[in-house]
Amino acid sequence: MKILVCLSNVPDTTTKAKFNNDNTAFDTAGVQWIINPWDELALTRAIQLKQNAANSIENITVITVGGKEAEPTIRKALAIGADDAVRIDTEAKDAYFVAAQIAEYVKNNPYDIIFAGIESSDYNGSAVGGMLAEFLDIPSVSAVSSVDFENGEVKITRDIDGGKELVTTKLPLVAIVQKGIAKEPMIAAMRGIMMARKKPLNVVQPIDVDALTEFVEFELPQPKPPCKMVEPENVKELIDMLQNEAKVL
Amino acid sequence: MSVLVFTENWEGKFKKLSFELVSYASKVAEMLNTQTVALSIGDVQEDELKKLSNYGADKIVVVNNDQLNVLDNQAYASVIAQVSEKEEAKVVVIAYNNMGKALAPRLSVKLKAGLASAVTKLPTSVEPFTVYKKVFSGKAFAKVVLKSDVKILTLAQNSFELIENAKEASIEQFDAQIGEIKTKVKDVQKQTGQLLLTDAEIVVSGGRGMKSPDNWAPIEELAGLLNGATACSRPVSDEGWRPQEEHTGQTGKIIAPNLYIAVGISGAIQHLAGVSGSKCIVAINNDKDAPIFEAADYGIVGDAHKVLPELIKAIKEL
């Protein structure tokens, strides 16, 4: 069995949003780049599944769409424990464009389970996983908080409103994962970092696809009025303001 | 031509979210000079369906087929695509919730329709078709142009008001083609009788400042008195003080209640990303320099163990 984990290279989640060129582009100056947090949890779960020999997982590949600047993030994924990596060498234009690129690769290099994070922490599209499944015409399960195998069947827990469902599907499938899929992201050990330098990182040429959407301008939220402070002994004043000023009680 | 809105139901009933979506879709339809068609999948009684017309639906299309009792993303996306083509939809509106996130991307590929997720306002222009969406987990907004003929918008929760606009809507059954259902449900665990965190209008949330899981009674009591739900910050769920389902923040639940009361939560940027859509934030924290006060509308600097009982007492007296 082979697992593919889709990676997005995103600014560290503590990064302040700044824009340049008349607010048409994200200002990358001084930004630390990381593996998108949900993708990192997905990778962690893939490695845990592979560590259990009964699952007979022979290979974990990570894939990303991006320029050479994404390579430190890819190497980090290899250091954590992916076996090889693919970088589709083009700027990620939109989710449709990215999913089409990955789908093309997967059509020629099939995988049994494809993991995608529920969203990327930068553009919050929540789209690549589902789009990829549709391009490949295979099942997708979203809001996934656990993936396991039992008697040769994949067992997936997904969130539904007000609870959880345990489901199974035919393989191949795209599992779109969220919090819970792994408890903590795995951290690369020194040995992993050394080995990562030698693991294959294949650079693949993109196909010609039109993006369907375009980010034309960014805006920071309006600065909010300062917090109104209430003395701890005056909780009645707070309740009065919540009722009559904010009108939320 | 039309604007199609997918209205999810919960055991045969619509929620406020469904009506927000229809209100939004009918405003978009007005901008495009066209009609609003609501799609309902599943078994919903006629008087419940008619409620959709109170918010501007001109027509209600119903697909009711036992095969759709399981949420199979592929089958559901295919049904929405069939109705969208039949109704010549130019815009499809879906909720930015679990189901919407599962279906909208598949639909986008099926219809070759550009998708804008977590849209917060009406389109700023229809030519070119431009919308506002959240980016960087609410730290910024972006204007996105959708260049395709058909467009899909998922609407961020609690970002659009209900607008009553009663119409005489027709109800039409549609016999959709349903392919093989590849998802099988083995087991369901539902929390019954409990208000869902993502639905709650009021949320009371505790952080590490609560000091111990044994100190949660006042948080629960306050939430109960306000008909709200309880939530927590990430360290609290990581420590196992509270269930994972309560973790609110960038990597946990993203919520947008009317009132969010943060108790003993310092307000890390990742936590704020999960609650910044709230209409009103109240912070109670003993550290006057905690970043939560920069995000809050109202604040009390004080010991939660003293402030909460006072607050509970005052609310009981209302």
Side-chain angles (χ1 to χ4, degrees), chain A residues 228-246:
Chain A
K228 289 193 181 169
M229 301 309 287
V230 179
E231 291 304 317
E233 43 285 346
N234 291 348
V235 291
K236 286 209 170 109
E237 188 190 332
L238 173 68
I239 290 170
D240 179 60
M241 287 195 285
L242 292 177
Q243 282 184 311
N244 301 314
E245 192 177 78

Side-chain angles (χ1 to χ4, degrees), chain A residues 65-118:
Chain A
V65 175
K68 204 164 171 35
E69 69 282 356
E71 289 199 356
T73 295
I74 302 172
R75 287 284 172 208
K76 188 180 165 201
L78 291 170
I80 294 170
D83 298 295
D84 52 30
V86 175
R87 177 171 70 81
I88 301 176
D89 188 21
T90 178
E91 186 197 345
K93 292 196 186 101
D94 76 345
Y96 184 89
F97 175 89
V98 168
Q101 299 295 342
I102 298 176
E104 181 66 19
Y105 180 82
V106 175
K107 277 176 195 161
N108 300 315
N109 303 274
Y111 288 84
D112 302 282
I113 296 188
I114 301 171
F115 281 111
I118 187 96

Side-chain angles (χ1 to χ4, degrees), chain B:
Chain B
M1 196 169 122
S2 70
V3 171
L4 180 70
V5 49
F6 173 57
T7 50
E8 185 180 350
N9 72 80
W10 290 264
E11 282 153 8
K13 299 281 177 217
F14 295 117
K15 287 188 195 169
K16 184 169 150 250
L17 169 68
S18 322
F19 304 128
E20 280 172 16
L21 288 170
V22 179
S23 302
Y24 180 87
S26 79
K27 283 288 163 196
V28 177
E30 255 174 46
M31 293 174 78
L32 293 168
N33 272 321
T34 185
Q35 59 162 356
T36 309
V37 179
L39 164 63
S40 168
I41 297 181
D43 191 10
V44 181
Q45 299 295 312
E46 193 176 314
D47 53 344
E48 186 71 14
L49 288 169
K50 284 240 159 97
K51 289 182 186 167
L52 298 174
S53 63
N54 294 339
Y55 300 93
D58 298 285
K59 179 175 175 182
I60 298 156
V61 176
V62 178
V63 176
N64 190 4
N65 184 313
D66 286 348
Q67 283 185 280
L68 298 173
N69 290 347
V70 177
L71 171 62
D72 180 277
N73 296 339
Q74 226 169 344
Y76 265 66
S78 157
V79 168
I80 302 173
Q82 289 169 52
V83 175
S84 169
E85 278 164 1
K86 181 176 89 74
E87 298 297 333
E88 295 173 359
K90 286 287 164 211
V91 177
V92 183
V93 177
I94 306 180
Y96 185 66
N97 64 357
N98 277 339
M99 194 185 265
K101 287 183 208 176
L103 302 181
R106 296 202 74 122
L107 189 64
S108 160
V109 172
K110 267 202 179 302
L111 300 174
K112 206 173 185 223
L115 165 63
S117 309
V119 170
T120 57
K121 290 191 221 175
L122 282 175
T124 54
S125 107
V126 290
E127 195 56 56
F129 198 91
T130 312
V131 295
Y132 250 83
K133 78 178 283 301
K134 288 187 196 183
V135 288
F136 295 96
S137 309
K139 282 185 272 185
F141 294 87
K143 266 189 188 170
V144 181
V145 172
L146 290 89
K147 300 185 283 189
S148 49
D149 180 34
V150 180
K151 291 105 182 155
I152 303 174
L153 311 179
T154 56
L155 188 65
Q157 282 193 33
N158 225 340
S159 54
F160 201 72
E161 300 286 329
L162 295 182
I163 301 170
E164 292 209 26
N165 174 17
K167 299 254 178 92
E168 279 296 320
S170 58
I171 298 180
E172 185 183 293
Q173 303 286 329
F174 176 67
D175 192 13
Q177 296 294 314
I178 296 162
E180 186 194 358
I181 302 288
K182 295 177 190 157
T183 309
K184 288 197 176 59
V185 175
K186 298 272 185 180
D187 194 18
V188 184
Q189 299 160 355
K190 282 211 174 185
Q191 317 166 324
T192 44
Q194 214 181 332
L195 180 65
L196 290 177
L197 178 51
T198 44
D199 279 351
E201 305 261 352
I202 296 179
V203 173
V204 185
S205 187
R208 208 158 23 184
M210 293 305 293
K211 302 247 165 54
S212 152
D214 304 329
N215 294 335
W216 242 263
I219 298 243
E220 288 177 336
E221 188 180 0
L222 183 58
L225 281 172
L226 298 170
N227 290 321
T230 54
C232 70
S233 66
R234 178 172 170 168
V236 166
S237 70
D238 280 357
E239 288 290 333
W241 291 4
R242 299 294 293 175
Q244 292 282 341
E245 285 69 32
E246 284 198 359
H247 166 203
T248 301
Q250 183 154 33
T251 53
K253 295 243 164 34
I254 312 278
I255 58 171
N258 280 333
L259 173 59
Y260 182 72
I261 304 178
V263 189
I265 292 178
S266 64
I269 199 161
Q270 293 94 336
H271 183 76
L272 298 177
V275 301
S276 62
S278 309
K279 278 216 181 93
C280 176
I281 297 180
V282 172
I284 301 169
N285 202 298
N286 58 11
D287 174 8
K288 68 175 175 36
D289 297 321
I292 189 77
F293 289 116
E294 282 163 39
D297 301 284
Y298 302 98
I300 295 182
V301 177
D303 180 353
H305 306 298
K306 293 194 185 121
V307 177
L308 279 177
E310 290 296 318
L311 201 52
I312 288 167
K313 198 170 131 224
I315 284 171
K316 280 183 178 164
E317 284 168 6
L318 286 181

